[in-house]
Amino acid sequence: MADAPFDPAIVAGPDIELGLDTFGDMSTGQDGRRRSGAEVIRDVVAEAVLADELGVDVIGLGEHHRDDYAISAPDVVLAAIAGQTSRIRLGTAVTVLSSDDPVRVYERFATLDAVSRGRAEVILGRGSFTESFPLFGFDLADYEMLFEEKLDLFARLLTERPVTWSGRHRTALQDQQVYPKTESGRLTAWIGVGGSPESVVRSVTHQIPMMLAIIGGAPGRFTQYVDLYRRAQVQLAPETGQTARLPLGVHSPGHIADTDEQALDEYWPHYRAMNDRIGRERGWPPATKDKLVAEARSGSQYVGSPETVARRIADTATALGLTRFDFKYASGPMAHEKLMHSIELYATRVMPRVREILGA
């Protein structure tokens, strides 16, 4: 290989960005009553406001179209959050581009960028759930092609120049301008990647950074994809014109409480409920607490006291060379009050400790 035009290797440091993600899981109140979707959405806004006040870098909202999650229109909820916050960046986790229209997605997030004074970003994905495909009239047989075509169009929209494009699943465009334009000249975007070589290379080809969704197993098993991400940046640089390395992020779930034991005890029944509900659809075995404990110790469930979670995040950031880590703080029907405490501990104790460890 010829000498690289730049060094794509990333070393995690104290300037790492630390965010929070939620899908708006349908929760229960402290009285055990299942809360309505409207109540959960208002809770999510309150959680984001707290995160902003405490200095969290990013809040990401996932898009789903099923009865166990309240958020189907993340951009609308993010706009509400924008009006009550001043600094936190506003993103998704993820936006299901495959079953949406790229032009409309771009317009909505460019609008969010305007009302939030440049704080909008979008993570684009094909969706781990498939309810949106029949809901919006798409054939699951076109799952791969839909994402490839729509991502290609979205990447062109990011240039904010007139777009000429054609494909099988959308009306062609000829020198089409799309509005509004962003004040910075480019909307911040990521591609959510579950772990396939093709997805890694696609991220580099379109010059949209990669956000790895790691929800089980040792994070180190994704080293092969990080290595590919770096090699592809070097090899494709003559074609893409890339002169600076792309950021790299990870999204993983967990729960923080005052002690390790308390965190596991609070998290376990909600983790089990979520895992077994989805598992019945996908053929997974029932959850066991032993497996959760193993995941909390060395896998991709960041469950424990602030010190435990901080050390685990720092280890993952170091192993993979991250510039960003997003902590999915809500999993299953856990009460809003416990989520608020988890956010408080993440912002006031985990984040500074992660940066201290990486700075050392």
Side-chain angles (χ1 to χ4, degrees):
M1 183 185 298
D3 290 341
F6 62 93
D7 180 6
I10 299 171
V11 177
D15 57 348
I16 188 171
E17 296 177 337
L18 296 167
L20 290 167
D21 287 343
T22 179
F23 297 165
D25 299 62
M26 296 297 292
S27 62
T28 54
Q30 290 186 312
D31 59 1
R33 178 184 64 85
R34 178 181 167 97
R35 291 172 71 75
S36 69
E39 289 174 305
V40 171
I41 288 171
R42 290 193 290 268
D43 287 346
V44 168
V45 173
E47 290 155 15
V49 169
L50 177 64
D52 177 68
E53 292 170 349
L54 296 178
V56 176
D57 293 321
V58 192
I59 183 75
L61 309 185
E63 173 195 346
H64 294 86
H65 303 269
R66 43 187 290 138
D67 66 359
D68 41 358
Y69 302 112
I71 300 173
S72 60
D75 49 298
V76 177
V77 184
L78 290 167
I81 293 168
Q84 299 184 45
T85 58
S86 60
R87 51 164 305 282
I88 196 167
R89 296 206 308 282
L90 310 166
T92 58
V94 298
T95 291
V96 185
L97 186 65
S98 304
S99 57
D100 210 328
D101 181 80
V103 174
R104 291 297 290 142
V105 172
Y106 185 85
E107 289 176 338
R108 295 198 303 265
F109 281 89
T111 301
L112 175 65
D113 199 63
V115 299
S116 66
R117 297 185 178 273
R119 290 186 282 141
E121 58 180 62
V122 59
I123 300 180
L124 307 164
R126 64 188 75 209
S128 60
F129 295 95
T130 59
E131 288 82 4
S132 64
F133 289 82
L135 183 63
F136 299 120
F138 294 100
D139 190 340
L140 277 172
D142 297 325
Y143 185 82
E144 293 290 339
M145 184 181 295
L146 281 166
F147 186 69
E148 290 177 9
E149 281 196 0
K150 294 185 178 188
L151 181 62
D152 179 61
L153 174 53
F154 196 91
R156 300 184 193 209
L157 295 169
L158 287 173
T159 68
E160 301 198 358
R161 298 193 295 267
V163 172
T164 296
W165 178 92
S166 63
R168 288 182 53 188
H169 297 281
R170 193 199 184 282
T171 304
L173 301 175
Q174 181 66 42
D175 290 327
Q176 181 68 55
Q177 292 275 9
V178 176
Y179 303 100
K181 309 296 185 183
T182 64
E183 291 178 308
S184 68
R186 185 178 175 91
L187 179 68
T188 299
W190 296 73
I191 297 178
V193 175
S196 73
E198 295 79 10
S199 296
V200 175
V201 174
R202 186 183 296 121
S203 169
V204 177
T205 300
H206 290 299
Q207 290 292 279
I208 302 175
M210 177 171 71
M211 178 69 69
L212 287 167
I214 307 180
I215 60 174
R221 67 193 175 92
F222 281 79
T223 302
Q224 59 183 320
Y225 300 109
V226 174
D227 291 342
L228 175 59
Y229 187 57
R230 293 168 177 162
R231 293 198 312 272
Q233 289 178 64
V234 173
Q235 293 172 353
L236 296 176
E239 176 184 336
T240 63
Q242 183 181 357
T243 58
R245 65 193 183 193
L246 294 171
L248 175 63
V250 158
H251 151 109
S252 289
H255 177 63
I256 309 164
D258 296 307
T259 67
D260 289 346
E261 183 179 9
Q262 181 184 353
L264 282 165
D265 286 346
E266 289 180 354
Y267 190 62
W268 161 241
H270 307 294
Y271 168 82
R272 177 178 58 188
M274 176 192 65
N275 182 90
D276 291 356
R277 182 183 64 247
I278 299 172
R280 285 190 290 271
E281 301 172 6
R282 302 187 178 185
W284 297 349
T288 67
K289 193 167 185 180
D290 287 345
K291 182 178 179 181
L292 174 60
V293 170
E295 282 284 343
R297 288 175 177 168
S298 58
S300 295
Q301 294 284 336
Y302 294 77
V303 182
S305 67
E307 178 68 18
T308 295
V309 172
R311 287 190 174 277
R312 298 235 32 251
I313 291 173
D315 287 347
T316 298
T318 301
L320 299 180
L322 303 181
T323 59
R324 175 160 151 188
F325 183 92
D326 284 357
F327 178 71
K328 182 177 178 289
Y329 67 91
S331 297
M334 186 178 290
H336 168 63
E337 291 76 14
K338 285 188 170 60
L339 298 180
M340 293 286 271
H341 187 52
S342 185
I343 290 169
E344 180 183 3
L345 293 174
Y346 180 76
T348 62
R349 296 179 59 184
V350 172
M351 289 172 50
R353 183 66 175 127
V354 170
R355 291 180 170 133
E356 179 185 20
I357 294 168
L358 296 178

